[in-house]
Amino acid sequence: HVQLVESGGGSVQAGGSLRLSCAFSGNIRNYCMAWFRQVPGKETEAVAYISAAGAGTNYVDSVRGRFTISRDNAANMLYLQMNSLKPEDTAIYYCATKRSRDPCIKPWGGPSAVDFWGQGTQVTVS
């Protein structure tokens, strides 16, 4: 049984930092993982991808250089370090995973590719 639980969201001023965490359970250490975000009225978008072992990462252009995705499979944790936050980063952030053997760090093709979601954590930047 796969379960993903996010934490670490909150409110921060522009230019500040937050670190999101995602505790996962179930046998998903060989799965691709990613962080998605959703703004009300807009499509859910992936912002960062990471390979199963954590060696490979990829980011959307809007966050590259500011966000860092990482995972600790021994501790069953996924992280998103967010620096230099902007108001446009305000969203609900979701931890996600998929079983596919496709390359983890290539775009997944949208939310429909996700097999399991966390409940989300709100990030507000003002």
Side-chain angles (χ1 to χ4, degrees):
H1 176 66
V2 175
Q3 189 173 13
L4 307 173
V5 180
E6 300 96 335
S7 61
S11 297
V12 65
Q13 290 188 337
S17 297
L18 282 173
R19 188 193 197 202
L20 304 184
S21 299
C22 172
F24 57 85
S25 60
N27 188 20
I28 66 170
R29 294 181 179 184
N30 292 327
Y31 289 8
C32 304
M33 298 195 78
W35 287 96
F36 283 70
R37 66 185 179 187
Q38 184 180 33
V39 175
K42 295 187 178 181
E43 291 187 1
T44 302
E45 64 165 348
V47 296
Y49 307 95
I50 191 165
S51 62
T57 60
N58 196 12
Y59 304 88
V60 295
D61 288 344
S62 59
V63 308
R64 185 174 288 114
R66 300 188 296 121
F67 290 11
T68 302
I69 187 172
S70 60
R71 67 192 290 175
D72 181 347
N73 285 336
N76 287 1
M77 295 294 296
L78 176 73
Y79 303 102
L80 186 67
Q81 177 67 43
M82 304 185 296
N83 298 328
S84 302
L85 281 161
K86 304 175 181 180
E88 52 263 43
D89 295 318
T90 295
I92 301 173
Y93 284 73
Y94 296 91
C95 171
T97 187
K98 67 169 185 173
R99 302 185 189 90
S100 173
R101 292 182 177 271
D102 292 339
C104 291
I105 62 172
K106 290 188 176 181
W108 291 8
S112 62
V114 176
D115 290 313
F116 301 98
W117 294 95
Q119 84 287 356
T121 186
Q122 176 71 47
V123 171
T124 302
V125 185
S126 59

